[in-house]
Amino acid sequence: MGLLSSRTLFPILVLLSLCSYFAPNSAHNTFVHCLLNHSEPSHPISAAIFSQNSSSFSSVLQAYIRNLRFNTSTTPKPFLIVTPFHISHVQTAIVCAKRHNLLMKIRSGGHDYEGVSYVASQPFFLLDMFNLRSIDVDVESEIAWVQAGATLGEVYYRIAAKSKTHGFPAGVCPTVGVGGHISGGGYGNLMRKYGTSVDNVVDAQIVDAQGRLLNRRSMGEDLFWAVRGGGGGSFGVIIAYKIKLVRVPEKVTVFQVGKTLEQNATDIVYNWQHVAPTIDNNLFIRLILEVVNGTEVGTKTVRATFIALFLGDSKSLVSLMKDKFPELGLKQSDCIETSWLQSVMFWDNIDIATPVEILLERQPQSLKYLKRKSDYVKKPISKEGWEGIWKKMIELEKAVMFFNPYGGRMGEIPSTETPFPHRAGNLWKIQYQGNWFEAGEEVAEYHINLIRELYKYMTPFVSQNPRQAFMCYKDLDLGINHHGFLGYFEGRAYGVQYFNDNLKRLVEIKSKVDPTNFFRTEQSIPVLSRVEFGKLITGKSVLSVLLGLFAIHWIRNLK
C-alpha cells in the first residue's frame, strides 16, 4: 500500500487529535467526526472547532460573555464550541447536531441578559457567530447587508464611513451583536422617527432546520415575518439581515440634564411622561431614575436624568423644549452639536472627542453582574404615584429604572406588522436594572431580589392582562420551557408577555418550519403540532393534563 498523500493525511490527523479530547464520550466523538466528514474541502471546519481541552476554549467562550453571573466556575459549559468562518460550517453544525440529537446554542454578541445563548442545564455545544461579521453598505440604494456576528458599533461605523447623512435605528450599546438584537426586535433612540430595527429589515439569510440557506423569497413571507422580532434561537440560524438605511442630519444635538427631588424632579418627571411620547418625532428623551446621596450627610434622594437625541440643531431644540417642555429648563449650554456617529458614543458614555474607531472595539468598557426586567406603561402616573415610587426606590437604594418613550412612528405601525407587538397605546417602556461587581450567590440573590421587589411594586402602574415585556430584555422570571409534554403551555406563559396576540402565529410558523423543535432555548417559541397534542392527551389522562396546567398557573402566581 502506497503512502497517504498530505491531503488525505491531514484530515485524519485532525480527527485523531480532536477525538482524543472526547475519548470518554463517544457521542461527542461521533459528532466531531460528522463535522469533519461533512466539511467542504474548500472551507475546512477543523479550525473552527474548540473542545474543552483546547488551549483557546476558555478564551473563546469568555470573549463574548457580557454578564458575569454566567462566567463562574460552576456555570455549565458547552462540550464544544464551533466558530463558523463560512456559511457551510453553520449548515454542517445543524445537520450533524440533528443527526446526533444534540442541543445547539447560538450566540452573536453575548448581550443576552439571562445567558441562554451560551448556557444550558443539559449537554450542549455553542455555535458562536463572531467570525461571520461582514458589512456591505450601498449608500446609493440606501441598504446594507450585515452578518449576524457584526456589532452595532461596527455597523454604525461602516455606514458613517460611506455617508454622513445615513444611519440605522438600533441600540445605543455598540458591542451588541446584530443577530440577537434584530431577531428580538431591536430599538434605539431613532425609534420615534423610524421605528424599530425590524421595521427596517427588507431581506434576510437564514439556515433552517434542514440545513438549507434561505432568503426572503425562498423562505416565504411567514418565516420572514417570524425572524423579524420573533426572537433568536427559535426558527434557524440568522446569517445576515438586509437593512434599510435611514436619513439623519449631518449635525444632531444631544444633551444630558439631571434633576434631584430637591430640584423639583417630581414635577419635571410628571410632565416628561406627557411630553416625551407626543413631542416632535425628531426628539427622543430617555429618563433614568436612580438613588443618589442627598444634600444632607447620610440622606438619600432620587435623581432623574434626561438624556436626549435631536435630529436637528441646538437652537431649534432649545426653542422646541421651551415651548413643549419648559419645566426642564434646557439651556443652549446644555446642548452638544455633533455627528450622528459621535452621538452614539455620547449615549454610551464615551467622550465624543475620542476617535470614532473606538466603535470597532468588540469588548465593552467594563463587565458586571446584572439582572434586567421590563414593563410597558399605557397610562400616565399621578404625582402621588411618583411620590410612592420615590419612597420605594430610596428604600431599595440600588435599583435603577430606564424609561424609553414611544409615540411617533411606533404608534403608526400595526402591532401585527412584525412579531414585535408593542406599538400604539404604549407611552413608554421600562427597563429595570440591577448592577453589581461583587462575586457570590448571596450577593447576586440580594441584588436580583431588589429588582424583583421594585418590579412587583410597579404592578399597578404598568400594562395588565397580559403584563407585557420586551423580548430583547430576556427575563427567565417570566417562565422557563422544559420542552416536555407541557412545552406549549410553558411557552405560552412567557410568550404572551413578549408577543401578545402574535404568539399564535409564531407557534404556527414554528410548528411548520421546525416541527421537531431542534432550535430551542429556555424561552424559545414552542411547538404544538396535532401529533404532539394527540400524544399529550392519549399519553396522559385529562385529569393529569389539567393538574399540570393548574401547577403552572399556581407556580407563576407565587412570584
Side-chain angles (χ1 to χ4, degrees), residues 125-144:
F125 77 96
L126 172 63
L127 187 74
D128 200 321
M129 301 293 286
F130 68 87
N131 284 321
L132 293 175
R133 59 176 189 255
S134 70
I135 301 167
D136 184 13
V137 178
D138 185 344
V139 174
E140 186 174 342
S141 60
E142 297 187 303
I143 60 96

Side-chain angles (χ1 to χ4, degrees), residues 420-527:
F420 175 87
H422 313 294
R423 307 289 188 171
N426 290 296
L427 297 178
W428 68 82
K429 172 174 56 191
I430 304 175
Q431 182 186 89
Y432 303 87
Q433 288 198 5
N435 304 308
W436 63 99
F437 295 91
E438 306 86 8
E441 291 185 12
E442 288 187 10
V443 176
E445 195 65 22
Y446 169 76
H447 286 276
I448 292 171
N449 283 336
L450 290 181
I451 297 303
R452 287 171 176 164
E453 189 170 343
L454 181 57
Y455 177 82
K456 182 178 180 180
Y457 180 85
M458 292 295 292
T459 302
F461 307 111
V462 302
S463 60
Q464 301 292 332
N465 302 317
R467 185 169 184 171
Q468 298 175 30
F470 180 38
M471 180 66 193
C472 280
Y473 296 168
K474 197 172 274 99
D475 178 11
L476 293 186
D477 293 350
L478 304 181
I480 295 176
N481 201 326
H482 300 89
H483 304 290
F485 81 97
L486 287 177
Y488 168 77
F489 301 102
E490 289 180 333
R492 196 176 188 284
Y494 55 81
V496 294
Q497 296 181 73
Y498 290 139
F499 304 111
N500 291 5
D501 294 337
N502 289 337
L503 178 64
K504 180 181 178 182
R505 184 178 177 189
L506 286 169
V507 170
E508 290 173 352
I509 296 168
K510 167 72 172 178
S511 301
K512 180 179 179 181
V513 303
D514 184 21
T516 63
N517 200 24
F518 171 73
F519 294 108
R520 62 190 185 276
T521 71
E522 287 77 358
Q523 285 194 340
S524 55
I525 302 300
V527 172

Side-chain angles (χ1 to χ4, degrees), residues 10 56 98 119 223 227 268 273 325 411 438 441 497 513 528:
F10 179 72
S56 301
K98 284 196 72 177
V119 177
L223 183 52
V227 300
I268 298 172
Q273 67 182 343
F325 194 14
E438 306 86 8
E441 291 185 12
Q497 296 181 73
V513 303
L528 184 61

Side-chain angles (χ1 to χ4, degrees), residues 127-236:
L127 187 74
D128 200 321
M129 301 293 286
F130 68 87
N131 284 321
L132 293 175
R133 59 176 189 255
S134 70
I135 301 167
D136 184 13
V137 178
D138 185 344
V139 174
E140 186 174 342
S141 60
E142 297 187 303
I143 60 96
W145 272 105
V146 181
Q147 286 192 318
T151 64
L152 297 183
E154 290 172 330
V155 173
Y156 299 153
Y157 181 89
R158 299 302 176 196
I159 293 172
K162 293 286 187 73
S163 170
K164 296 180 180 180
T165 57
H166 285 87
F168 182 66
V172 299
C173 183
T175 58
V176 168
V178 165
H181 183 71
I182 296 182
S183 63
Y187 86 99
N189 53 23
L190 290 177
M191 71 176 179
R192 298 191 66 253
K193 178 73 172 182
Y194 292 114
T196 66
S197 300
V198 292
D199 299 324
N200 295 276
V201 169
V202 295
D203 203 345
Q205 288 184 326
I206 182 174
V207 178
D208 71 359
Q210 299 179 50
R212 300 175 301 180
L213 177 64
L214 307 173
N215 59 16
R216 180 174 183 173
R217 177 178 295 181
S218 55
M219 78 175 75
E221 288 302 303
D222 274 348
L223 183 52
F224 181 63
W225 177 85
V227 300
R228 288 177 298 140
S234 285
F235 301 97

Side-chain angles (χ1 to χ4, degrees), residues 311-462:
L311 300 177
D313 62 83
S314 59
K315 184 178 179 181
S316 300
L317 173 58
V318 171
S319 176
L320 175 64
M321 291 289 284
K322 185 177 180 181
D323 179 41
K324 300 294 186 182
F325 194 14
E327 296 81 8
L328 186 60
L330 185 71
K331 304 184 294 291
Q332 189 81 32
S333 58
D334 295 321
C335 301
I336 301 173
E337 289 187 352
T338 187
S339 68
W340 174 75
L341 187 64
Q342 289 172 307
S343 78
V344 173
M345 296 161 57
F346 177 87
W347 273 71
D348 196 40
N349 295 313
I350 301 172
D351 186 340
I352 61 172
T354 306
V356 293
E357 282 70 27
I358 194 172
L359 295 175
L360 300 177
E361 293 286 337
R362 295 176 67 85
Q363 298 300 321
Q365 297 179 69
S366 64
L367 292 174
K368 51 185 171 284
Y369 300 86
L370 57 90
K371 172 64 180 178
R372 301 288 187 265
K373 296 179 77 66
S374 61
D375 260 323
Y376 284 88
V377 176
K378 296 179 178 294
K379 296 179 181 179
I381 300 172
S382 68
K383 287 188 179 181
E384 293 76 16
W386 286 113
E387 295 287 356
I389 292 170
W390 307 150
K391 183 178 179 181
K392 190 64 179 179
M393 289 191 70
I394 292 172
E395 174 193 324
L396 299 175
E397 191 174 334
K398 297 184 182 299
V400 179
M401 287 193 284
F402 278 52
F403 291 37
N404 298 288
Y406 273 44
R409 182 68 179 138
M410 294 298 293
E412 298 169 355
I413 301 172
S415 62
T416 56
E417 185 73 16
T418 69
F420 175 87
H422 313 294
R423 307 289 188 171
N426 290 296
L427 297 178
W428 68 82
K429 172 174 56 191
I430 304 175
Q431 182 186 89
Y432 303 87
Q433 288 198 5
N435 304 308
W436 63 99
F437 295 91
E438 306 86 8
E441 291 185 12
E442 288 187 10
V443 176
E445 195 65 22
Y446 169 76
H447 286 276
I448 292 171
N449 283 336
L450 290 181
I451 297 303
R452 287 171 176 164
E453 189 170 343
L454 181 57
Y455 177 82
K456 182 178 180 180
Y457 180 85
M458 292 295 292
T459 302
F461 307 111
V462 302

